[in-house]
Amino acid sequence: MMYIRRLVILILISLALLASGCEEIMNVKQSSESLQEPSTEFYILGPDGTAENYPIDYVLGENGTVIIGIINHEQKPVNYTLEVKLEDMPLPLSDIWKKICLGNNETLEKAVTITPLFEGTNMKLQFLLYNNDKKDMLEENVSIPYRNLNLWINVTTQNFSKNNSTPSTAI
């Protein structure tokens, strides 16, 4: 009888310790979330939705597609603007990228069409994300992007086939 009483007391003490440990884990998790520094995730994916196979070889006049991802962890709603530049020249984008409103922990993943306007090799394609609530200015009318990503692309005037065959010409 004494053995059973000790066993019950030991089980009750163990359960109380386990419950207080679970409560402490929950408190640590909540406090670490509240201490997380505000940030924004910004990424690009290839057209298949993976972090590879980015279109880097273009033919002048043809389009390529990448997927832009933005995740707001700023702990408040934020207004963003996206700009895409090729060799520092802005490329046309649809109006949805001019005013992006995301709530806290909200994600946007959407395809953007890239249409290079001139040819060249190893050209810098920039994806510039601006946080409209935290605009830092380099000089008058020049904003510093909040986040930026780059791809290096090639744009040619004709499409070279992968089998390296010579195109036939009319005589």
Side-chain angles (χ1 to χ4, degrees):
M1 181 77 144
M2 183 94 139
Y3 174 73
I4 293 175
R5 178 179 276 179
R6 285 184 184 168
L7 183 61
V8 168
I9 291 172
L10 189 59
I11 290 172
L12 289 174
I13 291 172
S14 298
L15 287 174
L17 288 173
L18 181 64
S20 68
C22 290
E23 181 180 345
E24 187 62 32
I25 288 171
M26 293 300 291
N27 288 339
V28 168
K29 184 177 178 184
Q30 288 174 350
S31 66
S32 69
E33 286 175 1
S34 65
L35 294 176
Q36 184 180 26
E37 189 171 323
S39 64
T40 295
E41 291 182 53
F42 181 48
Y43 55 91
I44 54 175
L45 303 172
D48 59 358
T50 62
E52 57 188 14
N53 300 323
Y54 303 106
I56 58 169
D57 291 311
Y58 290 81
V59 175
L60 193 61
E62 294 183 4
N63 301 328
T65 301
V66 296
I67 298 169
I68 299 290
I70 305 167
I71 305 175
N72 174 7
H73 296 296
E74 299 288 339
Q75 300 173 359
K76 63 179 182 177
V78 176
N79 295 306
Y80 299 99
T81 301
L82 178 74
E83 188 175 21
V84 178
K85 291 183 176 183
L86 179 59
E87 294 292 302
D88 290 324
M89 292 194 57
L91 295 180
L93 289 176
S94 69
D95 287 343
I96 64 161
W97 298 106
K98 293 178 182 167
K99 188 173 184 182
I100 305 161
C101 301
L102 294 179
N104 187 42
N105 292 323
E106 191 174 353
T107 300
L108 171 72
E109 263 191 17
K110 195 156 184 69
V112 66
T113 302
I114 305 299
T115 308
L117 303 175
F118 48 90
E119 65 179 306
T121 58
N122 202 28
M123 295 189 297
K124 187 176 185 179
L125 180 63
Q126 298 175 286
F127 300 87
L128 307 170
L129 184 69
Y130 297 91
N131 178 333
N132 296 338
D133 303 331
K134 290 185 179 179
K135 278 221 171 168
D136 291 328
M137 302 300 280
L138 183 61
E139 51 189 68
E140 191 175 324
N141 297 326
V142 178
S143 297
I144 299 172
Y146 186 57
R147 302 281 183 263
N148 66 322
L149 301 165
N150 302 313
L151 286 178
W152 279 261
I153 68 168
N154 303 305
V155 181
T156 59
T157 54
Q158 62 183 20
N159 193 1
F160 297 104
S161 64
K162 294 186 185 228
N163 64 11
N164 295 328
S165 63
T166 306
S168 58
T169 56
I171 299 180

